[in-house]
Amino acid sequence: MTYAPETKARLEADAREIIARYPEGHARSALLPMLHLVQSEEGYVSPDGIALCADVLGMSQPQISAVATFYTQYKRHPNGEYNVGVCTNALCGVLGGEQIFDELSKTLAVGHDETTADGKITLERIECNAACDFAPVIMVNWEFFDNQTPESAQALVSDLQDGTPVHPTRGPNVMRTFKENERTLAGFRDGLANQGPSGGKPTFQGLDVAAANDWQEPQPVDPFDYVWPADTAEAKGDK
């Protein structure tokens, strides 16, 4: 392990704080946030990060690597300062996500999971941002930029590269770096959790329609109280 002694000591102290959140005897449950922790140090899950997790948790390095390679949020090579994820799945894709990705790829001269020469931006295809009501959507370091067009997406990445402040559509009012957000994902609060809106009018439109029509959700039925229809009972041989 090649971490500087002070860096190693700091990460181990943070790792112990993460482990303390879990019941005694379940330290391995802390692995996922610990991988975000080591990623916040170097911008990816490095060999040093894998070794540290293995040492602290008493696991083998192959076990740590198996988890780190399973989830796409964990990077195995240095990530850019801003991870620009373009949703190209279903609704976002047909509403312009594919075009947005293709044009950003051409402008930035990178493909999926590749980083620009200046180290500023890693471009990524995202399967779903869970924000179809604002499609097409881009996420920068997991913050939402809704209702994008090829033109607005080009302006967004230009501002990121130039250092011009950008503001997510929903969520925090400031744009944090990839490493900073990784520390937040490790469970260390950044004080921004309650900034900005989380939903918008399209998100709640179904609820508004239901309220206007006084629609109610179906009530659950106890299976022991359910009465099978006569024809179904006969088919089941329950005459």
Side-chain angles (χ1 to χ4, degrees), residues 14 36-37 40 178-188:
D14 286 341
H36 285 296
L37 173 67
S40 74
F178 180 77
K179 290 181 180 180
E180 289 171 336
N181 264 17
E182 282 302 299
R183 184 166 177 81
T184 303
L185 290 174
F188 296 93

Side-chain angles (χ1 to χ4, degrees), residues 10 38 41 44 50 55-56 62 80 91 109 142 150 180 197 225 227 230:
R10 172 170 47 81
V38 298
E41 187 64 31
Y44 73 115
I50 290 173
D55 288 348
V56 172
L91 194 58
W142 317 119
E180 289 171 336
D225 293 335
V227 178

Side-chain angles (χ1 to χ4, degrees), residues 173-230:
N173 300 323
V174 297
M175 187 72 254
R176 291 167 63 80
T177 67
F178 180 77
K179 290 181 180 180
E180 289 171 336
N181 264 17
E182 282 302 299
R183 184 166 177 81
T184 303
L185 290 174
F188 296 93
R189 297 179 182 275
D190 59 10
L192 304 177
N194 296 318
Q195 279 193 359
S198 60
K201 186 174 181 179
T203 307
F204 302 108
Q205 189 168 359
L207 290 174
D208 293 339
V209 171
N213 291 276
D214 195 28
W215 292 343
Q216 303 294 323
E217 70 276 12
Q219 297 302 307
V221 176
D222 188 328
F224 293 102
D225 293 335
Y226 186 76
V227 178
W228 290 95

Side-chain angles (χ1 to χ4, degrees), residues 9-239:
R10 172 170 47 81
L11 290 173
E12 287 178 341
D14 286 341
R16 287 192 293 272
E17 183 175 336
I18 293 172
I19 291 170
R21 301 170 190 160
Y22 296 87
E24 187 175 352
H26 294 272
R28 290 188 176 195
S29 298
L31 176 56
L32 296 185
M34 281 178 59
L35 288 171
H36 285 296
L37 173 67
V38 298
Q39 195 158 250
S40 74
E41 187 64 31
E42 298 177 87
Y44 73 115
V45 179
S46 67
D48 281 347
I50 290 173
L52 183 136
C53 290
D55 288 348
V56 172
L57 294 175
M59 299 171 64
S60 70
Q61 293 190 29
Q63 286 176 311
I64 305 298
S65 294
V67 175
T69 55
F70 184 84
Y71 297 101
T72 57
Q73 274 193 312
Y74 301 125
K75 311 299 183 180
R76 297 311 305 274
H77 50 80
N79 206 70
E81 188 174 351
Y82 299 100
N83 195 84
V84 176
V86 182
C87 182
T88 57
N89 192 1
L91 194 58
C92 280
V94 300
L95 289 178
E98 288 284 359
Q99 182 184 358
I100 289 172
F101 181 88
D102 290 343
E103 295 198 14
L104 289 184
S105 179
K106 184 184 300 184
T107 298
L108 298 171
V110 295
H112 167 68
D113 198 29
E114 294 180 352
T115 302
T116 55
D118 60 6
K120 283 282 187 178
I121 294 176
T122 295
L123 183 64
E124 186 176 19
R125 286 182 180 272
I126 300 293
E127 274 301 299
C128 183
N129 283 326
C132 299
D133 40 351
F134 296 102
V137 172
I138 291 177
M139 293 197 87
V140 179
N141 295 345
W142 317 119
E143 302 295 353
F144 287 103
F145 289 81
D146 301 326
N147 302 312
Q148 291 294 296
T149 65
E151 294 74 23
S152 66
Q154 295 279 8
L156 172 61
V157 297
S158 178
D159 286 344
L160 291 172
Q161 287 186 301
D162 293 343
T164 302
V166 301
H167 306 285
T169 310
R170 291 174 287 136
N173 300 323
V174 297
M175 187 72 254
R176 291 167 63 80
T177 67
F178 180 77
K179 290 181 180 180
E180 289 171 336
N181 264 17
E182 282 302 299
R183 184 166 177 81
T184 303
L185 290 174
F188 296 93
R189 297 179 182 275
D190 59 10
L192 304 177
N194 296 318
Q195 279 193 359
S198 60
K201 186 174 181 179
T203 307
F204 302 108
Q205 189 168 359
L207 290 174
D208 293 339
V209 171
N213 291 276
D214 195 28
W215 292 343
Q216 303 294 323
E217 70 276 12
Q219 297 302 307
V221 176
D222 188 328
F224 293 102
D225 293 335
Y226 186 76
V227 178
W228 290 95
D231 58 342
T232 306
E234 291 177 4
K236 289 167 60 68
D238 297 332
K239 298 181 180 179

